[in-house]
Amino acid sequence: MQTKAAIPLEIPDVSDLCVLVVEDDEIMRLSLEDRLRLEQIPARAVGDLAEAHKQLETGEIDLVITDIRLPDGSGADLFEDIYRRYPGTPVILMTAFGEVSDAVALVKAGAVDYLTKPFDLDAFVGTIRRNLARCADTRLNAEHLGIHDESFRPGSGVIGKSAAMRRIERLIARLSKVDSTVLVTGESGVGKEVVATLIHYNSRRASGPLIKVNCAALPANLIESELFGHEKGAFTGAAYRRIGRFEQAQSGTIFLDEIAETPLEVQVKLLRVLQERVLDRVGGEKSISLDVRVIAATQVDLDEAVKQGAFRSDLYWSLNVINVEIQPLRERREDILYLARLFVKQHASAMDRPVIGLSGEVEAKLLTMSFPGNVREIKNILERAVALCDGPRIMAHDLVSLEQLPGDASGPEETTTLKDSIAVAERQAIQQALHRNDWVIGKAAADLDISRKNLWEKMKRYAIEKEGVR
Ligand SMILES: Nc1ncnc2c1ncn2[C@@H]1O[C@H](COP(=O)(O)OP(=O)(O)OP(=O)(O)O)[C@@H](O)[C@H]1O
Ligand SMILES: [Mg+2]
């Protein structure tokens, strides 16, 4: 699926990132501001620290470029404040000739770059653009998405640089103040679980539990007791009382993943829980009241599932109080390089490999790919690339997309490593088993002699999807 469609090459869009220029010399400040306007880079320009702080407090600043000497303090103080209070916001220094050593010291301390005055405006713009594209790696994806503090500045682009993902960040921030049920939708691998997790950790329930349930991976006959729990002796084999996932989520959030896979009889019970906020353990006599926020996710078109009678419409309406729809990666291409660079860093550090980035050729190639497996796919591709790469930068031949794996003629000539061959064989076996069993996961899993959960995970990993589900 590499370069089939003639999608025009795009340069990462930095037009909705905002630069703060701090420069006390008015003429200089105006000329920098003018030039940024000409380049269509949103910017605000101020002349002292006090004004700079006011701007930073708006939460809308993505990058700061500051003079070292300012009327009410120094650029070094500003850098330190930003480093503490707005971690991850890149700072570039503008220094006079005599202050270069100060600037170098600050770069060692974490400032991203410096420019020595006098500089020409092209160099200025070049530095800003380069750093904006990186600012990109926003707080290294806010520490691998563990974000749940002030470092999550809604709209700053942690989960993606595209306008679409920034909107979702703002929505997450708004959702943190209410308890509404949320339905997260989008294709496989777009980041539904990431978003659900962020909603929880940015809500007032953050200190409560986040219980994740994959409704597709649970054996059909156990879903009910898994979700709602059961009393001792409720059915043959129920030797002990079991506390269900809903009860485990008390005072926190339950994440019902792949909600469309819930059997109809369980849907009725879910509806009661959602509407009345009480649950009955299987075989239990009294109802238990619940203080749980529900977030559900699905890649299935629930409207369609409702029409086909596979999903209850009343449950759909109860879940779909607020819908967060995540676009496929191919429709938010501004996120591709951001995520790619980020994943290179994450994988390189996890595998302890000295890979520092992507070659220009690889970046260009990534921008033409369509990523049917979305973010998961680009993440997997780069994991492989980091593992295969033997230089500091990932080259085109390190890039093997999942679609190429089954060894078709358009793929790489040979898959030499054992890992590749196994992946090819495994993907094929899974596809065949699914095909033989009309895509009934339980049956295919039995056929392959692996668990439903295991099969589900492998399907995700190899981006295997039933044709025509969307
Ligand atoms: N914005 C993002 N930033 C960083 N990593 C991301 C982002 N979105 C997704 N990922 C990563 O991509 C992978 C897939 O994400 P996730 O599990 O949230 O997708 P999903 O929509 O729930 O997929 P599925 O429908 O297949 O369950 C995960 O490894 C996740 O960490
Ligand atoms: Mg998921």
Side-chain angles (χ1 to χ4, degrees):
M1 195 53 86
Q2 294 273 308
T3 46
K4 272 182 210 153
I7 301 161
L9 194 71
E10 285 173 39
I11 297 168
D13 179 15
V14 294
S15 64
D16 53 359
L17 291 171
C18 188
V19 175
L20 176 65
V21 179
V22 192
E23 167 61 68
D24 58 336
D25 180 315
E26 196 179 346
I27 296 175
M28 172 94 169
R29 185 171 69 238
L30 289 175
S31 87
L32 298 178
E33 208 182 355
D34 266 0
R35 181 60 195 262
L36 290 174
R37 191 173 311 120
L38 262 176
E39 299 282 333
Q40 299 188 325
I41 299 175
R44 310 209 181 135
V46 298
D48 57 33
L49 285 184
E51 287 299 315
H53 280 294
K54 276 192 204 152
Q55 286 298 330
L56 285 161
E57 277 157 23
T58 63
E60 291 163 5
I61 302 300
D62 295 283
L63 180 145
V64 177
I65 181 157
T66 179
D67 195 7
I68 289 209
R69 242 179 255 176
L70 293 163
D72 54 350
S74 78
D77 299 336
L78 181 60
F79 164 72
E80 272 164 33
D81 271 341
I82 293 175
Y83 199 73
R84 261 186 303 114
R85 293 177 50 202
Y86 309 98
T89 306
V91 178
I92 301 171
L93 300 150
M94 296 181 282
T95 76
F97 183 67
E99 302 158 340
V100 171
S101 60
D102 294 349
V104 171
L106 290 174
V107 167
K108 283 200 181 131
V112 293
D113 215 340
Y114 69 92
L115 285 165
T116 312
K117 288 179 182 173
F119 46 77
D120 72 42
L121 287 177
D122 288 341
F124 168 77
V125 170
T127 306
I128 300 249
R129 281 205 177 278
R130 197 170 50 249
N131 285 289
L132 273 182
R134 270 182 214 143
C135 116
D137 295 5
T138 309
R139 293 120 220 151
L140 206 62
N141 217 9
E143 296 300 317
H144 293 208
L145 305 176
I147 16 176
H148 40 97
D149 54 60
E150 67 281 0
S151 64
F152 181 65
R153 292 184 302 125
S156 64
V158 177
I159 56 170
K161 295 295 155 193
S162 58
M165 293 314 272
R166 284 166 193 267
R167 259 198 310 279
I168 289 183
E169 285 183 356
R170 291 191 201 101
L171 184 56
I172 292 172
R174 285 205 298 279
L175 289 175
S176 67
K177 298 184 188 79
V178 294
D179 249 347
S180 327
T181 301
V182 180
L183 179 65
V184 189
T185 51
E187 290 182 7
S188 178
V190 287
K192 295 186 293 296
E193 185 165 342
V194 165
V195 166
T197 308
L198 288 182
I199 294 174
H200 170 74
Y201 283 116
N202 287 283
S203 74
R204 57 181 184 76
R205 296 176 173 269
S207 56
L210 169 63
I211 301 291
K212 298 182 176 179
V213 186
N214 182 341
C215 303
L218 289 174
N221 57 337
L222 288 187
I223 293 187
E224 207 177 320
S225 83
E226 178 79 20
L227 289 178
F228 311 119
H230 61 243
E231 294 294 344
K232 184 176 171 185
F235 48 84
T236 328
Y240 300 98
R241 162 190 285 180
R242 171 178 192 145
I243 302 298
R245 308 292 267 165
F246 268 98
E247 265 186 87
Q248 289 169 13
Q250 285 283 27
S251 82
T253 306
I254 190 164
F255 175 52
L256 300 172
D257 202 1
E258 318 290 355
I259 187 77
E261 307 297 317
T262 319
L264 279 163
E265 54 293 1
V266 179
Q267 292 180 22
V268 188
K269 307 214 162 142
L270 268 180
L271 182 66
R272 169 162 145 87
V273 170
L274 282 171
Q275 288 184 335
E276 295 170 31
R277 299 283 154 179
V278 291
L279 71 75
D280 306 302
R281 295 189 190 126
V282 179
E285 276 166 16
K286 63 176 191 320
S287 301
I288 296 156
S289 60
L290 280 178
D291 169 29
V292 173
R293 182 197 209 154
V294 177
I295 304 178
T298 181
Q299 49 177 299
V300 168
D301 178 351
L302 283 183
D303 273 324
E304 194 51 39
V306 167
K307 274 187 210 138
Q308 292 178 0
F311 204 82
R312 293 182 64 104
S313 60
D314 44 10
L315 178 59
Y316 179 28
W317 294 118
S318 299
L319 289 171
N320 197 16
V321 177
I322 290 167
N323 178 212
V324 180
E325 182 168 10
I326 311 177
Q327 285 184 8
L329 193 53
R330 63 183 173 281
E331 286 170 21
R332 46 179 170 107
R333 298 194 155 265
E334 304 88 322
D335 294 341
I336 293 179
L337 292 186
Y338 165 64
L339 291 169
R341 292 180 185 136
L342 185 76
F343 292 143
V344 169
K345 290 190 189 149
Q346 287 180 7
H347 291 310
S349 111
M351 292 185 229
D352 201 16
R353 305 229 33 187
V355 183
I356 55 163
L358 303 151
S359 68
E361 192 190 358
V362 165
E363 294 203 338
K365 193 165 172 180
L366 287 171
L367 286 169
T368 65
M369 291 169 67
S370 59
F371 302 108
N374 292 297
V375 183
R376 180 180 292 105
E377 181 176 354
I378 196 169
K379 192 172 179 180
N380 287 345
I381 289 175
L382 288 164
E383 182 177 354
R384 301 170 58 78
V386 168
L388 293 174
C389 174
D390 49 16
R393 282 185 189 278
I394 291 177
M395 309 304 283
H397 60 261
D398 300 321
L399 213 62
V400 182
S401 88
L402 288 171
E403 286 61 47
Q404 289 179 321
L405 278 179
D408 62 15
S410 65
E413 261 81 86
E414 71 247 32
T415 41
T416 40
T417 68
L418 183 59
K419 223 172 140 194
D420 281 354
S421 321
I422 294 172
V424 169
E426 198 169 61
R427 188 172 200 271
Q428 255 167 9
I430 291 171
Q431 264 176 329
Q432 285 162 4
L434 284 164
H435 193 70
R436 268 197 310 278
N437 292 289
D438 287 333
W439 291 81
V440 177
I441 296 186
K443 285 192 192 162
D447 227 11
L448 291 161
D449 198 20
I450 58 177
S451 68
R452 267 166 69 97
K453 180 164 186 285
N454 199 347
L455 174 55
W456 190 263
E457 284 163 1
K458 287 186 191 296
M459 286 171 64
K460 288 288 139 67
R461 182 162 180 81
Y462 298 127
I464 299 176
E465 272 178 26
K466 185 174 173 180
E467 287 123 37
V469 282
R470 267 185 286 281

